Amino acid sequence: MNAVGSPASRTALAVACSFAFAGAAFSAEALKNASFEEPGGDGQLYISDRAFSWERWGAWFNREMTWAPVREGQCLMAYHHWQIQGEDTSGVYQDIPDVPAKQARTFRVHATRDKGTNAEFIELRIEPLSGGQPLASRLYRMNDIKAGKWTELSVTGQSPTKGMRVLVVVKPGRSSNRKGAVKFDAAALREASVQEIAAMDAPANGLSRRKR
């Protein structure tokens, strides 16, 4: 056994501290409530249809506690497409203030849909912290999403300034006979790989179609 204060023990301690620091730095950049388990809204009630740390806009984009299948935990976010009356998008977003400037990140979320869901598209988007013009965007059509099974969606981008906002956006179908729901779970924000950086999702007129 190494004595306390020996060179070997000091080295081991330094390595452990380095890993602990790296873990703390990473967690500071990570998404909060990535699988939507924690409720949000007034009173922080367990039954809240909002998810803690996620803001939302539009109609019928709700946290659900009893829907299945789930990818992680017991809750998910669901877009009730069959309930939508207007033409506007709905979505959720989160600001992550500690992402370093000019460092590429990949935002991922898993999605599934009901059979026959006829929403127009899902968009994953990265914006500057607190919002602004899209820095990266990727569109997914309903044919890209498996019915009843989880599909991983992703977008990669970087911000010229510290921090970024990540968004999940759904556009309702053009038909007045809207059907089905789209479900989301198990989101993540990670440092982009070399391959992801090479295929960075730069926006074109604010949007870019999914690369094939």
Side-chain angles (χ1 to χ4, degrees), residues 116-199:
T117 300
N118 58 351
E120 187 170 346
F121 62 75
I122 298 168
E123 179 193 359
L124 295 196
R125 190 192 302 167
I126 296 176
E127 295 180 355
L129 185 68
S130 301
Q133 290 298 312
L135 301 170
S137 173
R138 184 175 285 196
L139 289 186
Y140 292 87
R141 305 290 176 176
M142 291 303 102
N143 288 341
D144 297 320
I145 312 299
K146 296 177 182 177
K149 296 183 179 180
W150 292 103
T151 302
E152 184 180 86
L153 316 182
S154 67
V155 63
T156 299
Q158 63 184 16
S159 176
T161 56
K162 186 177 179 181
M164 62 175 50
R165 171 175 288 184
V166 296
L167 306 90
V168 179
V169 184
V170 186
K171 174 70 174 176
R174 298 180 183 182
S175 169
S176 59
N177 183 23
R178 291 167 177 158
K179 301 177 182 179
V182 187
K183 305 160 191 174
F184 301 92
D185 201 0
L189 185 67
R190 298 284 187 268
E191 185 174 351
S193 67
V194 173
Q195 293 82 2
E196 289 168 334
I197 293 172

Side-chain angles (χ1 to χ4, degrees), residues 10 39 47 60 66 84 125 166 170 212:
R10 287 197 299 269
I47 60 174
W60 289 104
T66 59
I84 299 296
R125 190 192 302 167
V166 296
V170 186
R212 297 186 180 276

Side-chain angles (χ1 to χ4, degrees), residues 69-91:
V70 292
R71 185 66 169 72
E72 290 181 1
Q74 298 179 329
C75 300
L76 51 76
M77 294 298 291
Y79 176 67
H80 302 222
H81 183 244
W82 85 94
Q83 297 276 22
I84 299 296
Q85 300 297 317
E87 305 299 323
D88 295 336
T89 63
S90 300

